[in-house]
Amino acid sequence: MVARSAVAAKADQAAAAAGSKSGGHEVLMFEALREALIEEMNLDPTVCVIGEDVGHYGGSYKVTKGLADMFGDLRVLDTPIAENSFTGMGVGAAMKGLRPVVEGMNMGFLLLAYNQISNNCGMLHYTSGGQFKIPIVIRGPGGVGRQLGAEHSQRLESYFQSIPGLQMVACSTPYNAKGLMKAAIRSENPVVLFEHVLLYNLKEKIPDEEYICCLEEAEMVRPGEHVTILTYSRMRYHVMQAAKTLVNKGYDPEVIDIRSLKPFDLHTIGNSIKKTHRVLIVEECMRTGGIGASLRSAIIDNFWDYLDAPIMCLSSQDVPTPYAATLEDATVVQPAQIVAAVEQICQ
């Protein structure tokens, strides 16, 4: 079977965006992800879903609700609590021509499948001399929720970013959640789709017409002139909250949702830096070895001559996420910290 294109033309994206304003329908983010799965499963009989409680229970956050009734138990396969086993089964299914979507009930649990994701999922295309493609999507809820405790508040972006052959994207709105899910399913590469546990009930109007988002393209959220703020996932909303305060203080921040965590969209990022000459990175990932550290390194390597100030990076503290709500908030970047960092950069 010839894979359908996973890259949306910019004209198509613009048309889809226009359609979302004039028509479309409102959905929550988990419903947008569900729509993407249903559309792709209807279009392609090789697409299947694998994971714990994805079947008749409908998934831990209802992303797969009703899919078992629509497509049957073989295409929406409930598994035992054995992440290493069912992720390995997904890799094997991809090797034999299927397009599995593997759900981790919580992203932290996928550490149990790290060997399958790293040594099998990311490397088999290379180690087989190109004999096998691994068109698999690995997705699920992650990030710091509300008092979920340390083991259920993991941010695995930093764990997976160094795996050769793996693509990573993070959705932040219902629109890009659906578009990225569809593109990931159509991709010939293994893709990890990060969904934030606190964004599932975010509501937005999306187009009725089919659309996809480019897996390797950042999103310009707010054009500006004074400083480039690079962020993704839940922190997009902390940044936009801070942006309101910054505008009232006379600053004009440019906000970019990088979306593609691997590879980075250095074209969009670079054009912004050439305009503002200042960079602030805001992430929920850990400071040590996180996405922000890799992004800072990439900016220094490629755009050093355009910087008029040191790159600042606001990240979560390098501690296990506390259960207590006040302590949990203290470990994650808050809007007031973003405002203070921009004021410091623009001095």
PDB file of all heavy atoms in Angstrom, residues 144-147 317 319-334 337:
ATOM      1  N   VAL A 144       2.689  17.194  34.003  1.00  0.00           N
ATOM      2  CA  VAL A 144       2.268  17.400  35.391  1.00  0.00           C
ATOM      3  C   VAL A 144       0.774  17.691  35.409  1.00  0.00           C
ATOM      4  O   VAL A 144       0.321  18.689  34.852  1.00  0.00           O
ATOM      5  CB  VAL A 144       3.055  18.561  36.038  1.00  0.00           C
ATOM      6  CG1 VAL A 144       2.565  18.811  37.457  1.00  0.00           C
ATOM      7  CG2 VAL A 144       4.546  18.253  36.028  1.00  0.00           C
ATOM      8  N   GLY A 145       0.012  16.820  36.041  1.00  0.00           N
ATOM      9  CA  GLY A 145      -1.436  17.017  36.139  1.00  0.00           C
ATOM     10  C   GLY A 145      -1.790  17.777  37.395  1.00  0.00           C
ATOM     11  O   GLY A 145      -1.135  18.750  37.772  1.00  0.00           O
ATOM     12  N   ARG A 146      -2.807  17.336  38.059  1.00  0.00           N
ATOM     13  CA  ARG A 146      -3.188  17.939  39.341  1.00  0.00           C
ATOM     14  C   ARG A 146      -3.100  16.876  40.416  1.00  0.00           C
ATOM     15  O   ARG A 146      -3.969  16.032  40.549  1.00  0.00           O
ATOM     16  CB  ARG A 146      -4.600  18.534  39.268  1.00  0.00           C
ATOM     17  CG  ARG A 146      -4.669  19.792  38.416  1.00  0.00           C
ATOM     18  CD  ARG A 146      -5.959  20.562  38.639  1.00  0.00           C
ATOM     19  NE  ARG A 146      -5.930  21.826  37.896  1.00  0.00           N
ATOM     20  CZ  ARG A 146      -6.371  21.977  36.652  1.00  0.00           C
ATOM     21  NH1 ARG A 146      -6.871  20.931  36.015  1.00  0.00           N
ATOM     22  NH2 ARG A 146      -6.326  23.145  36.038  1.00  0.00           N
ATOM     23  N   GLN A 147      -1.996  16.918  41.139  1.00  0.00           N
ATOM     24  CA  GLN A 147      -1.760  16.005  42.266  1.00  0.00           C
ATOM     25  C   GLN A 147      -1.857  14.539  41.839  1.00  0.00           C
ATOM     26  O   GLN A 147      -2.540  13.734  42.445  1.00  0.00           O
ATOM     27  CB  GLN A 147      -2.743  16.307  43.396  1.00  0.00           C
ATOM     28  CG  GLN A 147      -2.520  17.688  44.015  1.00  0.00           C
ATOM     29  CD  GLN A 147      -3.413  17.929  45.212  1.00  0.00           C
ATOM     30  OE1 GLN A 147      -4.522  18.418  45.063  1.00  0.00           O
ATOM     31  NE2 GLN A 147      -2.937  17.576  46.397  1.00  0.00           N
ATOM     32  N   GLN A 317      11.773  22.125  37.805  1.00  0.00           N
ATOM     33  CA  GLN A 317      12.908  21.835  38.675  1.00  0.00           C
ATOM     34  C   GLN A 317      13.268  20.354  38.615  1.00  0.00           C
ATOM     35  O   GLN A 317      12.420  19.498  38.383  1.00  0.00           O
ATOM     36  CB  GLN A 317      12.575  22.244  40.116  1.00  0.00           C
ATOM     37  CG  GLN A 317      12.380  23.742  40.275  1.00  0.00           C
ATOM     38  CD  GLN A 317      12.214  24.144  41.720  1.00  0.00           C
ATOM     39  OE1 GLN A 317      12.802  23.536  42.612  1.00  0.00           O
ATOM     40  NE2 GLN A 317      11.412  25.167  41.960  1.00  0.00           N
ATOM     41  N   VAL A 319      13.436  17.800  40.332  1.00  0.00           N
ATOM     42  CA  VAL A 319      12.990  17.064  41.523  1.00  0.00           C
ATOM     43  C   VAL A 319      11.789  16.209  41.130  1.00  0.00           C
ATOM     44  O   VAL A 319      11.080  16.537  40.169  1.00  0.00           O
ATOM     45  CB  VAL A 319      12.588  18.027  42.669  1.00  0.00           C
ATOM     46  CG1 VAL A 319      13.777  18.844  43.143  1.00  0.00           C
ATOM     47  CG2 VAL A 319      11.446  18.950  42.245  1.00  0.00           C
ATOM     48  N   PRO A 320      11.542  15.118  41.837  1.00  0.00           N
ATOM     49  CA  PRO A 320      10.287  14.390  41.614  1.00  0.00           C
ATOM     50  C   PRO A 320       9.101  15.321  41.896  1.00  0.00           C
ATOM     51  O   PRO A 320       9.135  16.110  42.828  1.00  0.00           O
ATOM     52  CB  PRO A 320      10.347  13.248  42.641  1.00  0.00           C
ATOM     53  CG  PRO A 320      11.799  13.098  42.958  1.00  0.00           C
ATOM     54  CD  PRO A 320      12.387  14.474  42.863  1.00  0.00           C
ATOM     55  N   THR A 321       8.081  15.251  41.062  1.00  0.00           N
ATOM     56  CA  THR A 321       6.931  16.140  41.225  1.00  0.00           C
ATOM     57  C   THR A 321       6.201  15.829  42.523  1.00  0.00           C
ATOM     58  O   THR A 321       5.729  14.711  42.719  1.00  0.00           O
ATOM     59  CB  THR A 321       5.963  15.992  40.039  1.00  0.00           C
ATOM     60  OG1 THR A 321       6.682  16.214  38.828  1.00  0.00           O
ATOM     61  CG2 THR A 321       4.815  16.982  40.142  1.00  0.00           C
ATOM     62  N   PRO A 322       6.071  16.816  43.428  1.00  0.00           N
ATOM     63  CA  PRO A 322       5.408  16.560  44.710  1.00  0.00           C
ATOM     64  C   PRO A 322       3.910  16.320  44.535  1.00  0.00           C
ATOM     65  O   PRO A 322       3.295  16.777  43.564  1.00  0.00           O
ATOM     66  CB  PRO A 322       5.660  17.849  45.502  1.00  0.00           C
ATOM     67  CG  PRO A 322       6.739  18.571  44.782  1.00  0.00           C
ATOM     68  CD  PRO A 322       6.611  18.178  43.344  1.00  0.00           C
ATOM     69  N   TYR A 323       3.309  15.643  45.507  1.00  0.00           N
ATOM     70  CA  TYR A 323       1.859  15.442  45.492  1.00  0.00           C
ATOM     71  C   TYR A 323       1.131  16.694  45.964  1.00  0.00           C
ATOM     72  O   TYR A 323       0.088  17.060  45.419  1.00  0.00           O
ATOM     73  CB  TYR A 323       1.482  14.250  46.378  1.00  0.00           C
ATOM     74  CG  TYR A 323      -0.015  14.075  46.514  1.00  0.00           C
ATOM     75  CD1 TYR A 323      -0.763  13.529  45.476  1.00  0.00           C
ATOM     76  CD2 TYR A 323      -0.684  14.486  47.671  1.00  0.00           C
ATOM     77  CE1 TYR A 323      -2.129  13.386  45.578  1.00  0.00           C
ATOM     78  CE2 TYR A 323      -2.058  14.346  47.781  1.00  0.00           C
ATOM     79  CZ  TYR A 323      -2.782  13.794  46.740  1.00  0.00           C
ATOM     80  OH  TYR A 323      -4.147  13.663  46.846  1.00  0.00           O
ATOM     81  N   ALA A 324       1.665  17.382  46.978  1.00  0.00           N
ATOM     82  CA  ALA A 324       1.021  18.575  47.521  1.00  0.00           C
ATOM     83  C   ALA A 324       0.888  19.641  46.431  1.00  0.00           C
ATOM     84  O   ALA A 324       1.851  19.958  45.723  1.00  0.00           O
ATOM     85  CB  ALA A 324       1.828  19.115  48.700  1.00  0.00           C
ATOM     86  N   ALA A 325      -0.312  20.211  46.300  1.00  0.00           N
ATOM     87  CA  ALA A 325      -0.608  21.116  45.194  1.00  0.00           C
ATOM     88  C   ALA A 325       0.304  22.343  45.174  1.00  0.00           C
ATOM     89  O   ALA A 325       0.777  22.753  44.109  1.00  0.00           O
ATOM     90  CB  ALA A 325      -2.077  21.552  45.260  1.00  0.00           C
ATOM     91  N   THR A 326       0.555  22.936  46.334  1.00  0.00           N
ATOM     92  CA  THR A 326       1.393  24.140  46.370  1.00  0.00           C
ATOM     93  C   THR A 326       2.827  23.821  45.967  1.00  0.00           C
ATOM     94  O   THR A 326       3.469  24.595  45.254  1.00  0.00           O
ATOM     95  CB  THR A 326       1.376  24.764  47.777  1.00  0.00           C
ATOM     96  OG1 THR A 326       1.683  23.744  48.744  1.00  0.00           O
ATOM     97  CG2 THR A 326       0.003  25.360  48.092  1.00  0.00           C
ATOM     98  N   LEU A 327       3.325  22.676  46.413  1.00  0.00           N
ATOM     99  CA  LEU A 327       4.683  22.276  46.043  1.00  0.00           C
ATOM    100  C   LEU A 327       4.744  21.870  44.568  1.00  0.00           C
ATOM    101  O   LEU A 327       5.732  22.140  43.884  1.00  0.00           O
ATOM    102  CB  LEU A 327       5.160  21.125  46.933  1.00  0.00           C
ATOM    103  CG  LEU A 327       5.312  21.440  48.431  1.00  0.00           C
ATOM    104  CD1 LEU A 327       5.722  20.192  49.195  1.00  0.00           C
ATOM    105  CD2 LEU A 327       6.340  22.549  48.630  1.00  0.00           C
ATOM    106  N   GLU A 328       3.693  21.241  44.094  1.00  0.00           N
ATOM    107  CA  GLU A 328       3.632  20.860  42.678  1.00  0.00           C
ATOM    108  C   GLU A 328       3.730  22.109  41.801  1.00  0.00           C
ATOM    109  O   GLU A 328       4.496  22.149  40.835  1.00  0.00           O
ATOM    110  CB  GLU A 328       2.321  20.127  42.415  1.00  0.00           C
ATOM    111  CG  GLU A 328       2.128  19.651  40.982  1.00  0.00           C
ATOM    112  CD  GLU A 328       0.785  18.949  40.803  1.00  0.00           C
ATOM    113  OE1 GLU A 328      -0.247  19.650  40.872  1.00  0.00           O
ATOM    114  OE2 GLU A 328       0.777  17.728  40.607  1.00  0.00           O
ATOM    115  N   ASP A 329       2.967  23.151  42.139  1.00  0.00           N
ATOM    116  CA  ASP A 329       3.016  24.405  41.372  1.00  0.00           C
ATOM    117  C   ASP A 329       4.409  25.034  41.412  1.00  0.00           C
ATOM    118  O   ASP A 329       4.863  25.643  40.435  1.00  0.00           O
ATOM    119  CB  ASP A 329       1.992  25.400  41.917  1.00  0.00           C
ATOM    120  CG  ASP A 329       0.565  25.042  41.531  1.00  0.00           C
ATOM    121  OD1 ASP A 329       0.385  24.218  40.607  1.00  0.00           O
ATOM    122  OD2 ASP A 329      -0.375  25.577  42.143  1.00  0.00           O
ATOM    123  N   ALA A 330       5.068  24.868  42.543  1.00  0.00           N
ATOM    124  CA  ALA A 330       6.390  25.487  42.699  1.00  0.00           C
ATOM    125  C   ALA A 330       7.445  24.842  41.814  1.00  0.00           C
ATOM    126  O   ALA A 330       8.469  25.462  41.503  1.00  0.00           O
ATOM    127  CB  ALA A 330       6.827  25.425  44.158  1.00  0.00           C
ATOM    128  N   THR A 331       7.208  23.613  41.380  1.00  0.00           N
ATOM    129  CA  THR A 331       8.200  22.931  40.540  1.00  0.00           C
ATOM    130  C   THR A 331       8.032  23.255  39.062  1.00  0.00           C
ATOM    131  O   THR A 331       8.919  22.967  38.258  1.00  0.00           O
ATOM    132  CB  THR A 331       8.114  21.397  40.715  1.00  0.00           C
ATOM    133  OG1 THR A 331       6.863  20.917  40.186  1.00  0.00           O
ATOM    134  CG2 THR A 331       8.242  20.995  42.172  1.00  0.00           C
ATOM    135  N   VAL A 332       6.889  23.830  38.677  1.00  0.00           N
ATOM    136  CA  VAL A 332       6.561  24.083  37.276  1.00  0.00           C
ATOM    137  C   VAL A 332       6.604  25.587  37.003  1.00  0.00           C
ATOM    138  O   VAL A 332       6.253  26.398  37.861  1.00  0.00           O
ATOM    139  CB  VAL A 332       5.158  23.525  36.936  1.00  0.00           C
ATOM    140  CG1 VAL A 332       4.778  23.837  35.500  1.00  0.00           C
ATOM    141  CG2 VAL A 332       5.125  22.021  37.167  1.00  0.00           C
ATOM    142  N   VAL A 333       7.022  25.968  35.804  1.00  0.00           N
ATOM    143  CA  VAL A 333       7.124  27.385  35.425  1.00  0.00           C
ATOM    144  C   VAL A 333       5.745  28.044  35.472  1.00  0.00           C
ATOM    145  O   VAL A 333       4.771  27.510  34.918  1.00  0.00           O
ATOM    146  CB  VAL A 333       7.714  27.527  34.014  1.00  0.00           C
ATOM    147  CG1 VAL A 333       7.792  29.000  33.614  1.00  0.00           C
ATOM    148  CG2 VAL A 333       9.091  26.878  33.939  1.00  0.00           C
ATOM    149  N   GLN A 334       5.668  29.204  36.112  1.00  0.00           N
ATOM    150  CA  GLN A 334       4.420  29.958  36.230  1.00  0.00           C
ATOM    151  C   GLN A 334       4.511  31.253  35.423  1.00  0.00           C
ATOM    152  O   GLN A 334       5.605  31.748  35.130  1.00  0.00           O
ATOM    153  CB  GLN A 334       4.131  30.265  37.703  1.00  0.00           C
ATOM    154  CG  GLN A 334       3.984  29.036  38.590  1.00  0.00           C
ATOM    155  CD  GLN A 334       2.834  28.126  38.174  1.00  0.00           C
ATOM    156  OE1 GLN A 334       1.808  28.589  37.677  1.00  0.00           O
ATOM    157  NE2 GLN A 334       3.015  26.820  38.357  1.00  0.00           N
ATOM    158  N   GLN A 337       6.932  34.102  36.369  1.00  0.00           N
ATOM    159  CA  GLN A 337       8.347  33.863  36.067  1.00  0.00           C
ATOM    160  C   GLN A 337       8.671  34.202  34.616  1.00  0.00           C
ATOM    161  O   GLN A 337       9.760  34.694  34.315  1.00  0.00           O
ATOM    162  CB  GLN A 337       8.695  32.398  36.356  1.00  0.00           C
ATOM    163  CG  GLN A 337       8.599  31.989  37.812  1.00  0.00           C
ATOM    164  CD  GLN A 337       8.724  30.483  37.970  1.00  0.00           C
ATOM    165  OE1 GLN A 337       7.755  29.737  37.933  1.00  0.00           O
ATOM    166  NE2 GLN A 337       9.965  30.018  38.102  1.00  0.00           N
TER     167      GLN A 337
END
